Amino acid sequence: MDLINRLLDITSSDILNGLPSFDIPEVESLKNNIELNGWHNRETTLQHTAIVFENFLKIVSKETNLRNYLKVKVGLCSKYDLLKLVVIFHDIAKPEVVVLKNAETSFLGHDEFSATKANAILCRFSEVNSIDRQYILYIIKNHGNVHKFLDTKRKGEKSFHQFIKQFQDFSIEMALIGYADILRSYLEVSNNIDYRYRIAFFEDVIIFLFII
């Protein structure tokens, strides 16, 4: 199956339908996982994944420097195509780790478990070589750490440097995925001040990384 070529024209609607032409049943199964907490208001993990995918496309479409940066190939594939796969698989293991307590869901360790599960899925596709796969898996495994970073840091140039120190060569990718992950999330309603702070941080850190 030519996975990368099939990625070219997919939309968030395709993801909502479970990507039937991709033969990845793990994606469709996300429709059965309900998320309810300060970040998600009774949306399924599949709905969340579709929203993040749409956010990712919109963010990239607005930034010329970002588009050019993402054209670079990692192994056989461009960063842009690989980040599409990151988005599709970033929460793929949430159904396995979901815990319901006090009418809220939590997903402790879902990022690491998702990286492991994504690796097993990606090994089924020969056109994603080991270099490409490790790029994808690093970002999935660490995407939760982006939000943990912002739990304790405040906006400003000092925080930008700390962010770069933590994520190094992956800083742009981590900021981009963090931005797409939170944009239009329920946090905008449940804690608007925190939502606006996080959005502003991701927007500013991407600009900051392109001018230093």
Side-chain angles (χ1 to χ4, degrees), residues 157 160-161 164 171-172 204-212:
E157 186 170 329
F160 295 164
H161 284 294
I164 295 167
S171 295
I172 292 173
D204 289 351
V205 78
I206 290 172
I207 294 171
F208 181 80
L209 285 164
F210 278 119
I211 63 174
I212 59 174

Side-chain angles (χ1 to χ4, degrees), residues 48-212:
H48 167 66
T49 301
I51 290 171
V52 176
F53 190 83
E54 188 173 291
N55 290 342
F56 168 76
L57 296 181
K58 287 183 177 179
I59 294 166
V60 173
S61 71
K62 294 178 181 179
E63 298 290 342
T64 302
N65 288 337
L66 190 55
R67 288 198 304 276
N68 290 335
Y69 173 79
L70 297 180
K71 290 177 182 177
V72 175
K73 286 190 174 183
V74 176
L76 298 176
C77 307
S78 71
K79 292 184 176 187
Y80 181 66
D81 287 332
L82 296 179
L83 286 176
K84 286 183 179 181
L85 292 173
V86 168
V87 171
I88 291 169
F89 297 130
H90 80 287
D91 285 343
I92 197 71
K94 274 188 171 179
E96 285 88 337
V97 299
V98 60
V99 173
L100 179 62
K101 184 177 180 180
N102 298 326
E104 286 195 352
T105 55
S106 61
F107 306 91
L108 184 64
H110 80 274
D111 37 12
E112 293 195 21
F113 283 102
S114 291
T116 299
K117 190 171 181 178
N119 184 49
I121 295 170
L122 290 167
C123 283
R124 306 199 300 247
F125 302 96
S126 60
E127 67 268 34
V128 181
N129 69 12
S130 60
I131 296 173
D132 291 328
R133 194 163 63 249
Q134 290 307 310
Y135 175 87
I136 293 168
L137 299 180
Y138 175 88
I139 299 170
I140 293 176
K141 184 176 181 179
N142 287 279
H143 81 272
N145 290 332
V146 171
H147 300 298
K148 291 175 184 175
F149 177 91
L150 292 182
D151 287 340
T152 59
K153 298 292 189 297
R154 293 293 93 183
K155 182 182 173 187
E157 186 170 329
K158 182 179 179 180
S159 292
F160 295 164
H161 284 294
Q162 290 172 331
F163 187 92
I164 295 167
K165 183 178 180 179
Q166 179 166 338
F167 297 110
Q168 300 186 30
D169 292 342
F170 286 84
S171 295
I172 292 173
E173 287 90 332
M174 301 311 299
L176 174 57
I177 293 300
Y179 187 6
D181 199 18
I182 195 173
L183 186 63
R184 298 191 295 160
S185 71
Y186 184 61
L187 188 65
E188 185 175 11
V189 175
S190 65
N191 190 338
N192 186 258
I193 292 175
D194 189 38
Y195 173 82
R196 287 187 287 110
Y197 155 65
R198 291 170 186 265
I199 291 293
F201 182 91
F202 289 132
E203 289 177 343
D204 289 351
V205 78
I206 290 172
I207 294 171
F208 181 80
L209 285 164
F210 278 119
I211 63 174
I212 59 174

